[in-house]
């Protein structure tokens, strides 16, 4: 994955979308867990963007890995960031994706 701001935004948005799905599934419970996980994802994405902007690629790579670790429970989801081709479409060569 490229270490650019769009990569961080894609990973973050994917995580937030899945967290919102989980929150809806567990409504009315689950708000605290959603808020805690959202805060972690938001802070990671913000720190990732700052590292990329500063040219600190080692830190950016570490933070991106942490974002991807948060996304790992949904690795089979067709919109998972690791399953996306460069053009943003699902990559049909990746298992678990749809073309």
């Amino acid at each position: 994955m490229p270490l650019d701001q769009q990569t961080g935004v894609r990973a973050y948005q994917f995580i937030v979308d899945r967290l919102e799905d989980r929150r809806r599934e567990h409504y009315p419970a689950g708000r605290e867990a959603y808020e805690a996980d959202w805060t972690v994802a938001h802070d990671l994405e913000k720190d990732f963007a700052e590292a990329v902007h500063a040219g600190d690629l080692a830190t950016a790579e570490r933070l991106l890995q942490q974002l991807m670790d948060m996304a790992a429970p949904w690795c089979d989801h067709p919109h998972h960031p690791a399953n996306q081709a460069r053009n943003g479409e699902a990559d049909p060569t990746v298992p678990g994706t749809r073309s």
Side-chain angles (χ1 to χ4, degrees), residues 2-9 42-67:
L3 292 178
D4 60 22
Q5 300 217 358
Q6 288 303 317
T7 300
V9 168
H42 180 265
D43 290 347
L44 285 170
E45 193 279 327
K46 181 179 156 228
D47 293 345
F48 172 81
E50 290 173 357
V52 168
H53 182 71
D56 185 352
L57 299 183
T59 298
E61 189 170 342
R62 179 180 55 78
L63 293 166
L64 180 58
Q65 184 57 55
Q66 290 177 1
L67 280 167

Side-chain angles (χ1 to χ4, degrees), residues 23-51:
R23 184 183 61 174
R24 280 190 292 276
E25 290 171 6
H26 296 115
Y27 183 83
R31 190 180 114 232
E32 291 83 13
Y34 166 82
E35 289 174 354
D37 290 342
W38 180 91
T39 299
V40 170
H42 180 265
D43 290 347
L44 285 170
E45 193 279 327
K46 181 179 156 228
D47 293 345
F48 172 81
E50 290 173 357

Side-chain angles (χ1 to χ4, degrees), residues 67-85:
L67 280 167
M68 295 307 290
D69 290 347
M70 283 191 80
W74 304 286
C75 65
D76 290 332
H77 192 283
H79 299 124
H80 189 282
N83 299 339
Q84 300 299 305

